[in-house]
Amino acid sequence: MKVIIMGAPGSGKGTQAGFVAKEVGIPKISTGDMLRENVAANTPLGQEAKEIMEAGGLVSDDIIINMLTERVKQDDCERGFVLDGVPRTVRQAEMMEANGLQVDEVLVIETDDDAIIKRMAGRRVCPEDGATYHVETKKPKNDGKCDICGADLITRTDDSPETVQSRLKNYHEQTEPIAEFYQGKTGVTKIDGTQSIEDVHTHVIGALELVLLRMYA
């Protein structure tokens, strides 16, 4: 099963992708993970990406899709994979197809912009281990402290309302059209992301069960 889970920043797509990877037994692949892995392994693509990032530039679509093409050849992708945050643009989706990377389903987590801005404003992150919390929906045991290491929680700069609005604008202009690109090519399922995490997950799993039925009918 090869699945794309997409949604605006703060929609919960990363959380759902992690659930799917664990329950279905397929790897979750994200742009950030691929970049870190390639840089750490000092691959030719990793070296090229590192030079660009250290110079303050943006890693090109070609590098990202070439990394993805190599990543899905690994043994753990034999039964499929779930993509989180890639493709980011229609051009990347087109490049995936050109490289023979087909998917079985695209899941779109849809959430109102105002709800996302409120959700992101309440997010708190541990600077030490990356654990995330929320002032309303996922409170730490001790106010302002990480449950794991006890460090003071922080608000990320890219969670500010102004930054979130900019990220949402980029999503609507660049990433959202990917769903239309795949319409007619494969299954596209839209899921209400304003529900609880558990209810969203129930709908995600239900959609994937239908994918399996379609694949093995």
Side-chain angles (χ1 to χ4, degrees):
M1 182 185 295
K2 304 166 187 176
V3 181
I4 294 172
I5 296 186
M6 57 179 284
S11 64
K13 63 181 175 58
T15 297
Q16 296 300 329
F19 288 160
V20 170
K22 183 176 180 180
E23 293 186 22
V24 180
I26 55 179
K28 178 173 81 74
I29 301 174
S30 72
T31 300
D33 290 342
M34 289 192 299
L35 285 170
R36 285 188 288 271
E37 290 166 3
N38 277 269
V39 169
N42 202 33
T43 66
L45 287 170
Q47 293 173 19
E48 190 175 354
K50 184 179 180 181
E51 291 177 4
I52 294 171
M53 290 187 291
E54 288 180 344
L58 295 175
V59 179
S60 70
D61 289 343
D62 293 287
I63 292 176
I64 296 300
I65 300 306
N66 284 335
M67 282 185 179
L68 179 59
T69 301
E70 292 302 311
R71 176 67 182 87
V72 300
K73 292 178 182 177
Q74 296 180 20
D75 291 343
D76 64 340
C77 292
E78 185 176 351
R79 295 180 59 245
F81 48 80
V82 54
L83 301 182
D84 169 24
V86 58
R88 192 173 296 275
T89 64
V90 170
R91 181 172 185 270
Q92 287 189 359
E94 292 171 341
M95 293 173 69
M96 284 173 55
E97 285 207 339
N99 283 21
L101 290 174
Q102 306 291 331
V103 296
D104 301 307
E105 184 74 9
V106 178
L107 300 179
V108 186
I109 310 296
E110 295 188 319
T111 309
D112 178 79
D113 284 4
D114 289 339
I116 285 180
I117 292 170
K118 181 179 179 181
R119 182 183 295 177
M120 300 285 268
R123 185 160 65 175
R124 300 292 182 267
V125 180
C126 175
E128 300 298 328
D129 53 43
T132 59
Y133 303 86
H134 194 277
V135 296
E136 293 181 1
T137 59
K138 190 181 178 183
K139 298 179 181 180
K141 294 176 182 177
N142 296 310
D143 189 35
K145 301 288 185 180
C146 177
D147 292 347
I148 300 172
C149 67
D152 291 332
L153 302 177
I154 63 171
T155 301
R156 299 192 321 182
T157 55
D158 58 355
D159 283 346
S160 69
E162 296 78 17
T163 303
V164 173
Q165 286 176 340
S166 176
R167 294 171 66 195
L168 286 170
K169 182 175 183 292
N170 288 336
Y171 171 77
H172 292 310
E173 291 178 354
Q174 300 180 22
T175 306
E176 201 169 43
I178 291 172
E180 185 177 348
F181 170 80
Y182 278 108
Q183 199 77 51
K185 298 175 182 288
T186 188
V188 176
T189 302
K190 297 182 179 181
I191 297 171
D192 180 5
T194 63
Q195 306 171 91
S196 68
I197 293 174
E198 295 77 15
D199 286 342
V200 171
H201 183 56
T202 296
H203 284 85
V204 166
I205 294 302
L208 296 183
E209 288 174 348
L210 292 176
V211 174
L212 288 174
L213 289 173
R214 186 176 73 230
M215 289 171 62
Y216 295 105

